[in-house]
Every structure is written in structure tokens, then in C-alpha cells.
Amino acid sequence: QGTVYSYRPAHSGEAVKLLDTSSSCFLAADFLTPGNNYCVSVTISGEVQVWSLEDGTFLSKLNLGIEVHVT
């Protein structure tokens, strides 16, 4: 559990909250490439979510229909 922030000192110098996982079963997050403009996260229940790193906007989700585990 935790929060993912984006820090862009060239713009405002402030950290922008992208993803707050304190109330969900968040498992992992990573950048989508090329460009690193998007972040993808996954919950234990198998929901994959895509977020914009520009402003933290939730863009899309896909439910895999299976429970996800980390090995």
C-alpha cells in the first residue's frame, strides 16, 4: 500500500499525486514505454489500470478475471 507521486521541478516544483493505493489491494506499478507518459498499475484482484503521468488522470482499466500474485 502507498501512494505514487510525480515530481516535475521544471513546472511547478510540486509533487502531484498520481495514484493513492491506501484503500485498495494495489500490487505493483510501472511505466509504459516508449516515452514514459503513462503508468500502469495492477491490483491483487487482477484489475490493470492505466494512468496519465502528465496530470494523474485515470485513463482506462481492464479486469483480467484472475487473482494476481508476485513471485
Side-chain angles (χ1 to χ4, degrees), residues 6-58:
S6 174
Y7 179 68
R8 300 185 334 157
H11 290 294
S12 65
E14 295 181 17
V16 177
K17 185 188 297 186
L18 295 179
L19 176 63
D20 185 356
T21 63
S22 59
S23 62
S24 66
C25 297
F26 173 75
L27 189 61
D30 204 350
F31 297 104
L32 288 176
T33 56
N36 292 333
N37 295 324
Y38 303 98
C39 174
V40 63
S41 63
V42 65
T43 64
I44 292 172
S45 65
E47 184 175 274
V48 178
Q49 305 158 336
V50 180
W51 307 84
S52 167
L53 290 178
E54 184 68 31
D55 59 6
T57 303
F58 171 76

Side-chain angles (χ1 to χ4, degrees), residues 3 28 31 35 44 55 59 70-71:
T3 306
F31 297 104
I44 292 172
D55 59 6
L59 299 173
V70 174
T71 57

